[in-house]
Amino acid sequence: MRLSFKKEIPILILLLISVLSSFWFYAHMPAVVPIHWGINGQADGFGSREFAAYFFPALIVGLYLLLTFIPYLDPKKERYIDFLSTYWKFRFGFILFFLFIYFIASSAGVGYNIPIGQVMAVAMGVLFIFIGNYLAKIKPNWFVGIRTPWTLSSEEVWNKTHRLGGKLFALSGIISIFSIFFASEIMFIVVIGSVIFCAIFSILYSYIVFRAEKKKTQLTQ
């Protein structure tokens, strides 16, 4: 796997936007700005404009470096070749998501009236649909995907679990988007609840498939 500057240009543009915009936000933010919102969509945590303007860009750059070099640290790094295009899309998607969140939070910090709860529900819903669309294409590795003792023990279990997990995440994304029509507290429960359900059901499913595969192997011996 070799990094190509040409292929890195789109994601490097996102990094540049995050860094350059931090100076603009810093210049237009008051001394104290909201940095956290409760489940009712109201700001309940505040911080300095330095933190609000520069923390997320630093986080985005750090995330980029982490996601770029993780494949080289993975004991199963040879498997990334089998889904490298998908992994690069994941990397770009996550950077774009965090950049979007930064712009929304910072825009609220400079005074724009933004319904944070609804925007976050839609953003997370789109992210879940994005993840669900590509989850089945990920091959066994130690860092990305639904990693349980059973998926890591069998490629068949891994593939079946990720096919189902992809559908569940896409469904969770759709539910999250439509949750904006509920009250803020219910919307929060729906979004978080759907994610927890996807995670737990995927884990249980991987165990069930593993047990079925093991039983089938024993019967054929």
Side-chain angles (χ1 to χ4, degrees):
M1 301 186 319
R2 292 183 179 179
L3 290 176
S4 167
F5 178 75
K6 183 177 180 180
K7 291 182 178 180
E8 292 294 291
I9 289 178
I11 199 168
L12 290 176
I13 290 175
L14 296 184
L15 299 182
L16 183 62
I17 291 173
S18 70
V19 172
L20 293 179
S21 62
S22 68
F23 297 106
W24 187 91
F25 282 122
Y26 178 79
H28 292 80
M29 284 177 174
V32 178
V33 295
I35 58 174
H36 186 272
W37 288 260
I39 61 175
N40 59 359
Q42 300 300 313
D44 60 3
F46 299 85
S48 67
R49 65 175 181 174
E50 289 83 6
F51 179 86
Y54 299 129
F55 173 75
F56 249 94
L59 178 66
I60 290 171
V61 172
L63 181 63
Y64 165 73
L65 294 174
L66 177 65
L67 295 178
T68 298
F69 292 104
I70 269 181
Y72 300 96
L73 303 175
D74 197 323
K76 293 181 178 290
K77 55 179 173 288
E78 70 280 354
R79 296 308 306 270
Y80 283 79
I81 298 298
D82 299 329
F83 66 100
L84 190 58
S85 176
T86 297
Y87 182 74
W88 287 157
K89 290 174 183 176
F90 263 101
R91 193 176 55 132
F92 182 86
F94 277 105
I95 296 297
L96 182 61
F97 173 77
F98 277 94
L99 179 61
F100 176 77
I101 299 304
Y102 171 60
F103 269 94
I104 293 301
S106 298
S107 296
V110 298
Y112 289 99
N113 185 20
I114 297 176
I116 295 293
Q118 287 81 358
V119 172
M120 281 298 301
V122 172
M124 292 182 68
V126 172
L127 178 66
F128 295 156
I129 293 173
F130 171 78
I131 292 173
N133 186 54
Y134 290 104
L135 199 60
K137 298 180 181 180
I138 298 176
K139 299 304 178 183
N141 68 93
W142 286 96
F143 289 113
V144 184
I146 304 171
R147 302 173 309 284
T148 70
W150 309 292
T151 56
L152 293 173
S153 298
S154 166
E155 186 153 352
E156 181 179 353
V157 176
W158 175 285
N159 291 333
K160 288 182 177 180
T161 300
H162 281 73
R163 282 196 294 269
L164 177 67
K167 296 175 182 178
L168 290 177
F169 265 96
L171 177 61
S172 175
I174 295 173
I175 292 174
S176 296
I177 292 173
F178 280 96
S179 72
I180 64 173
F181 297 107
F182 298 106
S184 297
E185 290 78 5
I186 297 177
M187 179 180 64
F188 176 82
I189 293 173
V190 170
V191 174
I192 301 302
S194 64
V195 176
I196 293 175
F197 171 79
C198 285
I200 293 177
F201 193 87
S202 296
I203 292 172
L204 291 176
Y205 180 76
S206 70
Y207 175 73
I208 293 171
V209 174
F210 176 80
R211 292 287 298 178
E213 183 187 69
K214 185 175 181 180
K215 185 177 181 180
K216 181 180 178 180
T217 302
Q218 291 173 344
L219 292 174
T220 57
Q221 288 179 346

